[in-house]
Amino acid sequence: MEKFVYDFAEGNKDLKDLLGGKGANLAEMTNLGLPVPAGFTITTEACQRFLAEGAHVDGLDTEIDRHLAALEATMGKKLGDPGDPLLVSVRSGAKFSMPGMMETVLNVGLNDESVTGLSRQAGGNDRFAWDSYRRLIQMFGKTVCDVPGEEFEEALHDAKVAKGVKDDVQLDAGDLQELVTAYKKVFAKHVGHEFPQEPRQQLDLAIEAVFRSWNADRAVLYRRQERIPADLGTAVNVVAMVFGNLGPDSGTGVAFTRDPATGESGIYGDYLQNAQGEDVVAGIRNTLPLADLEKIDKKSYDELLQIMATLEGHYHDLCDIEFTIERGKLWMLQTRVGKRTAAAAFTIAHQLVDEGMIDLDEAVTRVSGAQLAQLMFPRFDLSGDPAPLTRGVGASPGAAYGSVVFTSEAAVAQAAAGESVILVRRETNPDDLPGMIAAQGILTARGGKTSHAAVVARGMGKTCVCGADELEVGRDQFTVHGQVVREGDVISIDGTTGRVYRGEVPVRPSEVVQYFEGDLDPALANEPLVAAVHQIMTHADERARLKVRTNADTGPDSARARRFGAQGIGLCRTEHMFLGDRRELVERLILAHTKTERDDALAALRPLQRADFLDIFREMNGLPVTVRLIDPPLHEFLPSLEELAVQVAVARERGEEAERDTRMLAAVRRMHESNPMLGLRGVRLGLVIPGLFAMQVRAIAEAAVALAAEGGTPRPEIMVPLVGAVQELETVRGEAEKIIAEVVGDSGVQVLIGTMIEVPRAALTAGQIAEAAEFFSFGTNDLTQMAWGFSRDDVEGAFFWRYLELGIFGISPFESIDRDGVGRLVRIAAEEGRSARPGLKLGVCGEHGGDPESVHFFHEVGLDYVSCSPFRVPIARLEAGRAAVESAGSDHR
Ligand code: PEP
Ligand code: MG
């Protein structure tokens, strides 16, 4: 028999797939003997079944009956009992945390009768009982029955106006009892029947609503953004209620065992006295720093610290927790390995190594290339000492500026129009998600590091400042310390310091980039972040099997990439050397009528190319440099057909001489292609235009010999693009070998000749091609283009949004390798290439070489190196190290 329900004592932290993160960790804490209210978890499988079948899951009811009875026995009360009711919370909890995206219903079990029982239980506290009841109707109405939340808020507002008070806490028991009546009317009006009084029915409906909330729009959007699979489903936790709103000796809070923004050790968190449930997370009321709890309730504070130490020691990581204090008794409501900023991820991993909690291998897996990329963003340059408008909590680091918008819709619309915007809200809620995604940064007036805005922004790596001082947010302007900032005005927000500035503050490079560049201010060398990056990168390099090269075609780019740790050049695109003032020479080459004209043009290009190569070889002295022979269609170097045609027509009209333009027009017409990316380019050019490849090969060999003569060690590799058949490569190779032998003589210089694998036919005949190639480099840009039949220059902007929406792929295959299709071609070519020529060197130089996910794939396939743009070299190094550590880990298992 399938089992759909687990008591907390039956689960553990490794059952996240089944029990969700919250359920698994509640179970783990229960088993650690920590004070967790009793409860049970309904599995993600039950949710999947419910969503698939659209209703009732056979057998679930009976299991819930049994576990509810056990819960009632443990607590010594019955659900909704009129005299002494057991109340429960019904909380969502998926495998991956999706903060605020799904639903929770608290106080289930309250009705017109048990509200009196609750009051008696609370020592005659009527106010508390009626407040709990009105919260249930509100949450239940919104979540379970889709009653618009504003209607409840309006009723609450009316109650406060009627009483002449501003704050909820000024409403007394009688006011709240009336509010319950008002809420029930709102409920009945929208739902068509009265608020359900039967506790068990409330529970069942709440459970189903949580199941359904898996498919709420905002949850779907969040999953797409975070690449969480759509079919996991959520678990549901049914937990005995404990109350943080029973008076000043009660309260609720959230805490982190280390600072999730910087990683510094010490406890961090927020506490709200006399408050319930989501009040802290929602950022609705301004919270106290957790340290203040020591003064309010020392016993609970000390116990909390003890528990936090236990949890860190157990999970070996930063934990975040939610807790409630009910009349001086501490209860743990949740824990999980906490989300953190990129800087904190590095710093914490480094600290945990120092503290002996984890080893260096583990530390490498605790950070990611995407996080490293975030640390390489620039920061504000405050040397002009701009005066901040205000300051809030630096909730998610980064430097962002843009024009102010006040709604999620405006953020989406203006970002779509290409503007950079800062979304300013009093506080955010899950409905603001589209605007948060579209904005450069988020600024809120309320809430702390654990508010919705902060948690979601950190997850997205987006700059966010929360709870800004004195910030009053209006409809189309905000005021702060007497200043007015209107919609459309530009502000800058610093997610690290929490400062907010008017206007655009200039930005400066990150210290992590300075560290990689080797020009770090010595004062920063001991910064925890720099020390952490140094330690983790050093270890990643030690572990990595994949080498990391760079795509560069100038001396300065090569030098920078080398400082960033590149172990050579994997792709030097020679066509970039034919632009600017050299374009004219290329035109001469293309327009040449006679052999002499062509030879002259080539002879003029050769010394220029040689100088380019020598520059690069010098910078990469001792390291391999793969130079690719010219690849793109030649008309890319010529003026546009339309412009030329107009020029010639106008000249004719005027009776002017236009001989050059006329010849050019004829040439451009001659070379015009309907599908140039599938036309005369790559190796085909070399076979069609006599002397072109020969000139390049000679320039490469000459530059290598020149470096050797200077005492250097050139390691040139000549790469032929767009090969689809071994015969193409053999032809080029035959000619190249002769030239190389002639130029190199007895200088000792060695030149390898290899090919790109970027045409599907090349991948499928790799065994034959390997006979003529000393190395393969996968051109996954073209390979993706040709495997999918997607024009790489057009499709991403044209229709990929629809493909992403339909889930045909989760990410553009031009960004991250399509393992099943393009990846399969890579695998086949690698295997067949290596079996034909053992020791064949294999690399990748398409954009995927710097994409974290793809690097793991290339590691698995057994390539020798990846090559990527200079800025992505550190990211690829880290991912290469992680891939090696992870695959060693899975071999052990
Ligand atoms: C490729 O196709 O992957 C490649 C690296 O070459 P290019 O992008 O220059 O076509
Ligand atoms: Mg290509």
Side-chain angles (χ1 to χ4, degrees):
M1 247 267 303
E2 247 174 315
K3 178 171 165 67
F4 289 126
V5 185
Y6 285 69
D7 266 329
F8 288 165
E10 292 177 288
N12 66 60
K13 71 175 177 7
D14 300 321
L15 292 180
K16 288 198 186 67
D17 282 336
L18 192 64
L19 303 180
K22 187 178 285 170
N25 287 321
L26 280 169
E28 190 77 10
M29 285 200 291
T30 303
N31 294 327
L32 281 173
L34 301 182
V36 176
F40 54 86
T41 304
I42 303 167
T43 63
T44 53
E45 280 171 8
C47 174
Q48 291 159 17
R49 284 275 286 275
F50 175 85
L51 293 175
E53 287 160 23
H56 212 73
V57 178
D58 268 353
L60 179 58
D61 268 357
T62 352
E63 271 197 75
I64 293 178
D65 283 344
R66 200 155 41 79
H67 287 269
L68 183 60
L71 177 60
E72 288 173 336
T74 308
M75 302 302 292
K77 353 177 167 190
K78 291 215 166 305
L79 183 70
D81 183 277
D84 181 15
L86 167 67
L87 304 185
V88 294
S89 66
V90 179
R91 293 168 181 270
S92 59
K95 175 178 180 186
F96 300 106
S97 151
M98 296 170 55
M101 294 302 136
M102 290 178 298
E103 300 297 357
T104 285
V105 186
L106 304 178
N107 304 338
V108 168
L110 271 179
N111 56 24
D112 294 351
E113 289 181 52
S114 62
V115 67
T116 335
L118 181 66
S119 164
R120 210 170 312 129
Q121 225 183 65
N125 190 340
D126 280 351
R127 187 190 183 284
F128 157 73
W130 287 104
D131 190 43
S132 302
Y133 192 20
R134 71 100 189 159
R135 284 172 191 260
L136 169 65
I137 301 170
Q138 185 170 358
M139 265 190 254
F140 192 94
K142 247 181 94 173
T143 306
V144 183
C145 303
D146 296 324
V147 181
E150 307 84 74
E151 300 240 357
F152 293 118
E153 268 137 42
E154 263 167 41
L156 177 61
H157 179 76
D158 292 348
K160 286 193 278 191
V161 171
K163 174 105 185 183
V165 298
K166 272 179 113 176
D167 209 347
D168 299 5
V169 288
Q170 293 168 289
L171 296 177
D172 64 22
D175 304 326
L176 291 164
Q177 186 169 359
E178 278 172 28
L179 191 57
V180 163
T181 311
Y183 275 12
K184 284 208 266 181
K185 279 198 192 124
V186 170
F187 186 96
K189 182 178 100 192
H190 279 278
V191 184
H193 61 74
E194 296 299 318
F195 176 73
Q197 293 290 310
E198 169 54 37
R200 182 54 205 273
Q201 191 194 2
Q202 289 177 2
L203 178 62
D204 288 341
L205 291 171
I207 291 169
E208 288 181 3
V210 174
F211 282 161
R212 275 196 306 271
S213 71
W214 176 255
N215 283 333
D217 289 350
R218 63 188 188 216
V220 171
L221 180 63
Y222 184 86
R223 285 201 291 275
R224 203 174 295 145
Q225 176 85 10
E226 299 293 313
R227 299 208 221 142
I228 297 173
D231 56 358
L232 299 178
T234 180
V236 183
N237 300 289
V238 176
V239 192
M241 284 294 303
V242 288
F243 295 98
N245 54 344
L246 273 175
D249 59 352
S250 304
T252 183
V254 294
F256 292 89
T257 55
R258 298 176 193 234
D259 185 338
T262 65
E264 265 169 54
S265 38
I267 59 154
Y268 288 81
D270 303 298
Y271 183 66
L272 255 186
Q273 229 173 328
N274 198 9
Q276 188 180 40
E278 314 297 87
D279 294 354
V280 184
V281 187
I284 292 168
R285 278 164 55 188
N286 277 330
T287 51
L288 299 174
L290 186 63
D292 287 8
L293 177 62
E294 187 173 14
K295 280 171 251 146
I296 301 170
D297 179 352
K298 175 136 175 47
K299 183 177 138 285
S300 298
Y301 179 77
D302 289 345
E303 188 184 352
L304 184 65
L305 256 52
Q306 183 68 45
I307 289 175
M308 283 163 76
T310 306
L311 287 173
E312 266 222 352
H314 186 71
Y315 285 88
H316 294 168
D317 206 347
L318 159 91
C319 295
D320 76 21
I321 58 179
E322 278 180 39
F323 64 93
T324 279
I325 298 175
E326 182 183 278
R327 296 222 175 102
K329 162 89 182 111
L330 176 68
W331 291 101
M332 303 301 294
L333 300 189
Q334 169 168 331
T335 192
R336 64 186 166 197
V337 166
K339 295 201 178 196
R340 66 207 69 188
T341 62
F346 276 86
T347 311
I348 291 171
H350 176 59
Q351 284 169 2
L352 292 174
V353 170
D354 282 357
E355 291 165 23
M357 275 213 236
I358 61 173
D359 64 14
L360 275 166
D361 269 5
E362 178 67 23
V364 166
T365 67
R366 294 274 179 98
V367 293
S368 69
Q371 286 169 329
L372 184 60
Q374 278 186 38
L375 296 177
M376 293 172 73
F377 289 137
R379 301 240 217 108
F380 284 138
D381 177 358
L382 299 174
S383 52
D385 212 11
L389 270 175
T390 180
R391 188 176 177 165
V393 177
S396 179
Y401 57 81
S403 7
V404 169
V405 290
F406 291 98
T407 62
S408 174
E409 294 74 28
V412 170
Q414 296 193 25
E419 248 192 83
S420 124
V421 296
I422 305 288
L423 177 62
V424 181
R425 305 281 290 152
R426 187 170 310 147
E427 69 240 350
T428 62
N429 64 49
D431 296 333
D432 291 321
L433 193 63
M436 296 173 77
I437 293 171
Q440 292 297 309
I442 298 139
L443 170 65
T444 71
R446 296 209 185 155
K449 270 188 183 141
T450 45
S451 64
H452 174 266
V455 172
V456 173
R458 275 203 296 279
M460 298 195 287
K462 191 142 289 188
T463 305
C464 177
V465 174
C466 284
D469 261 5
E470 300 283 322
L471 191 71
E472 290 287 338
V473 182
R475 198 190 275 276
D476 52 10
Q477 62 177 44
F478 70 77
T479 56
V480 61
H481 298 296
Q483 297 205 46
V484 179
V485 176
R486 300 202 161 76
E487 184 162 1
D489 290 355
V490 172
I491 60 167
S492 302
I493 62 171
D494 186 332
T496 309
T497 62
R499 292 201 171 89
V500 180
Y501 306 89
R502 191 189 275 282
E504 185 183 320
V505 178
V507 285
R508 68 172 166 76
S510 84
E511 68 253 46
V512 170
V513 169
Q514 291 175 43
Y515 158 74
F516 286 132
E517 287 276 15
D519 62 1
L520 186 70
D521 180 343
L524 295 176
N526 291 325
E527 282 281 297
L529 176 60
V530 174
V533 169
H534 175 74
Q535 183 191 49
I536 290 171
M537 291 303 289
T538 309
H539 189 68
D541 287 343
E542 260 167 39
R543 296 294 265 123
R545 189 189 53 68
L546 272 178
K547 287 195 167 27
V548 178
R549 296 197 194 177
T550 192
N551 294 357
D553 34 62
T554 65
D557 269 4
S558 311
R560 160 176 262 201
R562 191 165 190 173
R563 291 195 298 275
F564 278 17
Q567 292 158 286
I569 289 185
L571 174 61
C572 167
R573 290 180 164 104
T574 52
E575 56 270 20
H576 292 172
M577 300 166 174
F578 289 170
L579 299 174
D581 51 7
R582 301 186 188 169
R583 196 185 276 265
E584 200 238 306
L585 289 173
V586 182
E587 282 178 14
R588 267 171 54 194
L589 172 68
I590 299 170
L591 298 179
H593 271 319
T594 63
K595 179 170 181 317
T596 323
E597 277 176 6
R598 191 170 52 233
D599 287 351
D600 284 354
L602 288 169
L605 277 168
R606 197 171 97 217
L608 302 174
Q609 286 256 276
R610 183 170 53 219
D612 294 334
F613 296 139
L614 183 54
D615 255 7
I616 295 170
F617 291 164
R618 273 200 195 111
E619 295 296 352
M620 284 286 164
N621 185 19
L623 297 176
V625 176
T626 306
V627 181
R628 181 178 72 182
L629 303 179
I630 189 164
D631 177 48
L634 282 188
H635 70 74
E636 282 192 13
F637 300 99
L638 299 177
S640 96
L641 179 64
E642 290 78 13
E643 275 172 32
L644 267 178
V646 171
Q647 275 170 26
V648 169
V650 170
R652 275 209 193 113
E653 195 64 25
R654 292 187 183 145
E656 290 167 7
E657 251 309 272
E659 200 224 311
R660 194 168 175 281
D661 281 354
T662 309
R663 275 179 65 194
M664 180 79 83
L665 178 62
V668 171
R669 282 228 168 89
R670 202 173 57 237
M671 299 178 73
H672 179 76
E673 294 172 299
S674 302
N675 292 307
M677 288 302 259
L678 300 177
L680 181 59
R681 58 174 285 222
V683 65
R684 305 161 195 175
L685 280 173
L687 299 179
V688 169
I689 301 184
L692 178 56
F693 275 12
M695 179 277 288
Q696 290 199 295
V697 169
R698 192 173 290 276
I700 294 166
E702 286 172 348
V705 170
L707 180 62
E710 290 173 9
T713 313
R715 292 178 57 196
E717 303 179 341
I718 292 177
M719 177 154 79
V720 185
L722 222 75
V723 164
V726 68
Q727 294 83 350
E728 293 170 315
L729 184 59
E730 279 167 351
T731 310
V732 173
R733 184 180 186 95
E735 191 186 10
E737 276 174 340
K738 279 195 215 118
I739 298 168
I740 292 166
E742 194 186 308
V743 176
V744 161
D746 54 7
S747 64
V749 168
Q750 288 217 346
V751 185
L752 301 187
I753 298 177
T755 182
M756 297 197 66
I757 301 289
E758 53 183 346
V759 174
R761 189 179 188 285
L764 297 172
T765 58
Q768 296 167 15
I769 291 178
E771 304 284 347
E774 279 147 315
F775 64 88
F776 283 174
S777 177
F778 291 96
T780 46
N781 303 334
D782 272 306
L783 199 55
T784 302
Q785 163 165 270
M786 295 190 218
W788 280 88
F790 281 153
S791 162
R792 58 194 262 198
D793 299 322
D794 303 307
V795 288
E796 289 191 278
F799 61 81
F800 267 22
W801 60 270
R802 182 67 181 142
Y803 272 51
L804 292 164
E805 202 172 78
L806 289 170
I808 294 173
F809 34 65
I811 183 167
S812 159
F814 287 109
E815 209 177 312
S816 195
I817 193 89
D818 150 37
R819 286 178 175 241
D820 298 344
V822 180
R824 177 130 195 266
L825 288 169
V826 172
R827 226 180 251 282
I828 292 171
E831 277 166 22
E832 298 191 359
R834 281 230 171 102
S835 49
R837 182 192 279 257
L840 175 73
K841 200 162 20 158
L842 299 175
V844 59
C845 62
E847 280 306 298
H848 306 84
D851 166 65
E853 272 287 308
S854 312
V855 170
H856 287 245
F857 173 76
F858 299 130
H859 171 91
E860 271 166 51
V861 178
L863 301 196
D864 297 302
Y865 68 87
V866 295
S867 187
C868 56
S869 62
F871 217 68
R872 294 219 277 178
V873 164
I875 296 159
R877 281 167 52 200
L878 177 58
E879 291 295 347
R882 292 186 62 207
V885 167
E886 276 162 21
S887 63
S890 58
D891 290 348
H892 289 161
R893 253 167 245 146

